[in-house]
Amino acid sequence: MERQREESRRIEAFRNAARTILPLPEDEVRSRAEAGTLTELPGIGPSTAAVITDACNGVVPERLVKLEKTAGPLATGGEELRARLRGDLHSHSDWSDGGSPLEEMAMTAMELGHDYLVLTDHSPRLRVANGLSAERLTRQLGVVDAVNEHLGGAFTLLKGIEVDILDDGSLDQTDEMLGRLDVRVASVHSKLRMDAAPMTKRMIGAVRNPHTNVLGHCTGRLVTGNRGVRPQSTFDAKAVFTACAEEGVAVEINSRPERRDPPTRLLELARDLGCLFSIDSDAHAPGQLDMLDYGAARATEAGIDPDRIVTTWERDRLLEWAGARL
Ligand SMILES: [Zn+2]
Ligand SMILES: [Zn+2]
């Protein structure tokens, strides 16, 4: 449901039901399924109860059968590159505006075969997305350490942020805090309609900041989906991408189908200017982590050399690059 970007309210119903059921003893769940009293439990309605009852009876729920028919790659044409991607530098948990605990994001990334996932919850000024203060981010880093201790090294949840690029090109988090992270994605989320000259200055300011590793969804456009459409920001793309190439900042290929950012013409311009790229899911739920399929297809179509895509790199090379300007 998440990978099809269904309404989050409907997805949340299943997540809430799972939260209610998981801690219960198995025989209680079974007897309630037989007696038809599952719906007396908090968070369980008729549709989630039907799924649970089927599962208790050893029947694959009809709903799941239908959903699984839509499984498989999301896009065609990028399979070879997709197989070379080792991780993802842009994802959100329920610490900001994502739908799931960071532990679940990590588990799903492992199931997908990633070597690493960078957790990049939003920065303080993005209040609508419950952006993290320095205090909350500090606490999150402790949780990330604990998760990695349990995982034992085969997979790493990396510390990161999607930091807002403020109007003057500065970043919305303290240097001290930014310096404690592994990878930093910088994105514009406000005043997207700013005139081209100040927008160019703003973006270049962020790219020149030695903390910045990735320029996130650079045009801010929305091309489809339930948030409506939004035109791309205007800026001097040649100047911005030249700065990215000079600083070794990766231009993000944001895989979300409603973003498809950068647009093809700009993707080709960044390619020709010698930029690095990062194919990211910008997942807000575990089921969206494999949206990388879309980004891989676009990068392949644009003929981008896989070695210029930092998410094909192994973890140590990635970390060395991400810390190189500090
Ligand atoms: Zn963003
Ligand atoms: Zn994001």
Side-chain angles (χ1 to χ4, degrees):
M1 290 168 80
E2 286 166 351
R3 78 205 287 267
Q4 292 172 0
R5 291 173 305 134
E6 274 193 43
E7 250 182 278
S8 49
R9 187 174 47 82
R10 297 178 61 197
I11 297 167
E12 195 56 25
F14 281 95
R15 289 202 173 279
N16 286 338
R19 255 191 292 276
T20 298
I21 287 295
L22 281 171
L24 295 180
E26 196 179 321
D27 48 353
E28 184 184 342
V29 178
R30 281 190 185 287
S31 59
R32 281 188 176 274
E34 271 165 37
T37 60
L38 282 165
T39 51
E40 289 170 6
L41 294 168
I44 297 183
S47 63
T48 49
V51 167
I52 297 162
T53 304
D54 280 347
C56 285
N57 294 332
V59 175
V60 179
E62 195 189 332
R63 190 171 190 117
L64 191 54
V65 172
K66 268 193 210 151
L67 283 169
E68 285 189 333
K69 283 205 182 108
T70 67
L74 289 166
T76 53
E79 295 83 357
E80 209 174 302
L81 175 58
R82 176 66 189 84
R84 290 182 61 170
L85 297 179
R86 291 168 179 263
D88 189 342
L89 308 191
H90 188 165
S91 68
H92 299 274
S93 74
D94 60 7
W95 284 64
S96 66
D97 61 347
S100 293
L102 60 87
E103 295 87 343
E104 270 201 54
M105 297 297 286
M107 294 305 160
T108 304
M110 288 175 75
E111 283 177 13
L112 286 177
H114 289 8
D115 295 339
Y116 51 82
L117 172 70
V118 186
L119 180 65
T120 56
D121 278 314
H122 289 287
S123 64
R125 208 189 62 167
L126 210 59
R127 289 207 190 85
V128 288
N130 196 19
L132 271 61
S133 63
E135 290 74 18
R136 287 181 66 220
L137 181 54
T138 301
R139 262 195 288 138
Q140 184 183 67
L141 300 188
V143 176
V144 172
D145 281 334
V147 167
N148 283 324
E149 264 171 48
H150 282 282
L151 296 179
F155 166 90
T156 317
L157 185 62
L158 294 172
K159 296 167 181 172
I161 188 171
E162 182 179 17
V163 63
D164 256 49
I165 301 175
L166 302 177
D167 297 355
D168 64 357
S170 61
L171 302 181
D172 180 34
Q173 188 48 275
T174 64
D175 282 353
E176 198 268 327
M177 214 50 244
L178 291 171
R180 291 176 60 189
L181 306 174
D182 296 312
V183 175
R184 295 141 293 250
V185 176
S187 312
V188 170
H189 289 115
S190 60
K191 297 214 182 139
L192 293 159
R193 310 305 306 145
M194 200 182 237
D195 286 343
M199 182 60 103
T200 303
K201 200 169 161 230
R202 179 184 184 188
M203 292 173 77
I204 290 177
V207 168
R208 297 283 184 211
N209 188 312
H211 290 103
T212 301
N213 302 124
V214 178
L215 179 62
H217 51 67
C218 64
T219 78
R221 73 171 182 171
L222 293 176
V223 292
T224 177
N226 53 15
R227 289 160 72 198
V229 296
R230 186 165 67 202
Q232 60 194 71
S233 302
T234 54
F235 55 92
D236 180 344
K238 190 174 175 198
V240 171
F241 294 154
T242 298
C244 287
E246 286 171 1
E247 301 290 345
V249 166
V251 173
E252 178 178 73
I253 298 175
N254 190 295
S255 300
R256 297 190 66 87
E258 77 273 30
R259 286 197 181 272
R260 292 174 55 81
D261 208 356
T264 302
R265 193 181 58 80
L266 293 188
L267 188 57
E268 291 171 352
L269 178 64
R271 174 199 66 197
D272 294 343
L273 290 169
C275 293
L276 295 172
F277 295 92
S278 175
I279 298 180
D280 295 334
S281 69
D282 196 358
H284 283 65
Q288 295 173 351
L289 283 164
D290 61 358
M291 283 184 179
L292 295 183
D293 294 358
Y294 293 118
R298 294 199 65 218
T300 301
E301 201 182 324
I304 294 167
D305 173 4
D307 199 52
R308 274 170 57 190
I309 300 168
V310 299
T311 41
T312 66
W313 297 353
E314 59 181 52
R315 190 198 62 180
D316 290 350
R317 183 179 176 194
L318 181 93
L319 290 176
E320 197 183 318
W321 161 75
R325 291 195 299 147
L326 294 179

